Amino acid sequence: MSTQTASGSMSFLSGKPLRFIAAGILLINGMFPALWILFTSLKTEAELTAKPITWIPHAPTFQNYMQAFSDQPLHIFLFNSFMVALLSTALTLLISVLAAYALARLNLAYRGLILSLIIAVSTFPLVTLLVPLFEIMRALNLLNSWTALVLPYTVLSLPVCTLMLVSFFEGIPRDLENAAMIDGCTRMGALFKVVVPLCAPGVFTAGILAFVNAWDEFLLALSFNSNPTLRTLPVGIQLYQGEFAFPWPVISAALVVGIVPVAILIVIFQERVVSGLTAGGIKG
C-alpha cells in the first residue's frame, strides 16, 4: 500500500498537474501586476481608497486616461521614448551584427579574451557609469538631446545583443556564405543577404531586448535631459505626483499607455522572439 501511495505521489509530482500548477504560478506572477495597474487605472480615487479593497472596479471610468494626457504632455513623452528606443535599437543591431559576425567567423586573436571582456562589461551596475557618461556627454555638448540617450543605450545593450548573435552566427554553415561569395557577393553582402535572414529569430530577439531596455530606462533619461520637451516616458510619469498628492489612478493610466506599445510589439513578433530565446542558432 505504501509503495502504491509513493508511486502515485511521484506520478502526480512528475505529471501534468504539477506542470499546470507551475504554469499557473508563473502566469499569476507575471499577469497580476499588469492587471492590478489596469484595474487601478479604471477606478476613481474614492473607490481606490475605499475599505474593503475592491479588486475589480465597480464603475469603470476612462477619466483617468483623459486626465493623464491633460495634466502632462503624455503624447510628447511617448514620442520621445519611441524615437530614442527606435534609434538606439537600430544602432545596436547594426553594431552587434557586425561585431558578432567578426567574433563568429574571423580568426581573431584573443577571441576568448574579447568575449570575456564583453561579459565583464555587461555586469557593471548602471549607477557606477552615470558620472563618467554624464561627463562625456557634457564634454561633447550632447546634453538635452536624443543623442545623449541613444549613444549610452546603444553601448549598454551591445554586450547582451552581441553575445546572443554570436551563438546564432556560429550555427550557420560557412558553406552558405562561401556559395554566396562564389556567386558574386562580397563578405558584407553574404552577411546581410544570407546570414542575417537565417538568424532572423535571434536578430528580432536582440532588437526587442534593446528596445525594451531603452523604453524602460529612467536614471540616464532623468540625468541627461532637463529640457521638458525632451523628457521620455519614465521621467514624465514621475511628474504626475504632487507635493502632497499621489494620484495613483492617473499614474496607473499613464503606465498602461506606456505598457501598450511594448506589449503590441511583443505580440506581433511573439513567434520569432520565442524561437530566438529557445534556439541557440540554426544547425547545418
Side-chain angles (χ1 to χ4, degrees):
M1 180 68 68
S2 60
T3 304
Q4 293 178 352
T5 304
S7 61
S9 61
M10 288 298 294
S11 63
F12 174 81
L13 292 175
S14 60
K16 290 184 178 179
L18 182 61
R19 291 198 291 269
F20 282 128
I21 292 173
I25 293 174
L26 291 175
L27 181 63
I28 293 173
N29 181 66
M31 293 298 297
F32 179 77
L35 289 176
W36 181 253
I37 293 173
L38 175 62
F39 292 155
T40 302
S41 70
L42 298 174
K43 295 179 180 180
T44 62
E45 192 75 34
E47 183 178 358
L48 182 64
T49 57
K51 298 291 182 66
I53 295 175
T54 57
W55 297 99
I56 299 177
H58 294 316
T61 176
F62 290 96
Q63 179 63 34
N64 297 319
Y65 289 88
M66 293 184 286
Q67 189 174 344
F69 280 93
S70 62
D71 288 356
Q72 297 290 340
L74 188 59
H75 61 287
I76 295 178
F77 302 154
L78 286 167
F79 177 74
N80 290 334
S81 287
F82 179 78
M83 291 304 299
V84 169
L86 184 65
L87 292 173
S88 65
T89 300
L91 189 58
T92 298
L93 287 180
L94 176 62
I95 299 175
S96 61
V97 163
L98 298 175
Y101 182 77
L103 290 169
R105 285 291 189 263
L106 304 182
N107 296 321
L108 297 177
Y110 308 109
R111 178 180 180 275
L113 177 61
I114 294 173
L115 290 173
S116 299
L117 290 175
I118 292 175
I119 296 174
V121 168
S122 65
T123 62
F124 287 179
L126 180 58
V127 67
T128 63
L129 304 175
L130 177 60
V131 174
L133 287 174
F134 183 87
E135 292 298 328
I136 292 173
M137 293 302 151
R138 185 172 64 174
L140 296 175
N141 198 26
L142 293 177
L143 294 178
N144 291 318
S145 68
W146 285 348
T147 309
L149 298 179
V150 171
L151 294 180
Y153 291 169
T154 300
V155 172
L156 293 173
S157 298
L158 273 176
V160 174
C161 294
T162 300
L163 291 174
M164 177 180 295
L165 292 176
V166 165
S167 64
F168 277 86
F169 289 169
E170 288 177 341
I172 300 296
R174 294 176 182 264
D175 294 341
L176 297 177
E177 298 165 66
N178 295 334
M181 288 188 282
I182 290 174
D183 289 339
C185 274
T186 61
R187 182 175 286 275
M188 293 296 293
L191 168 62
F192 287 103
K193 293 180 181 179
V194 177
V195 178
V196 171
L198 290 175
C199 293
V203 174
F204 273 99
T205 304
I208 293 294
L209 291 176
F211 187 91
V212 172
N213 287 338
W215 184 269
D216 293 340
E217 203 282 323
F218 174 79
L219 183 59
L220 298 185
L222 177 66
S223 304
F224 293 174
N225 280 340
S226 58
N227 189 337
T229 61
L230 295 175
R231 289 192 178 107
T232 57
L233 186 63
V235 178
I237 287 177
Q238 60 94 26
L239 297 176
Y240 285 96
Q241 67 181 25
E243 185 177 359
F244 303 106
F246 209 98
W248 276 116
V250 178
I251 293 175
S252 298
L255 288 172
V256 171
V257 172
I259 292 171
V260 166
V262 177
I264 292 175
L265 191 66
I266 293 176
V267 169
I268 293 174
F269 300 109
Q270 178 183 5
E271 184 177 350
R272 292 185 178 273
V273 171
V274 171
S275 60
L277 290 172
T278 56
I282 300 175
K283 302 300 180 183

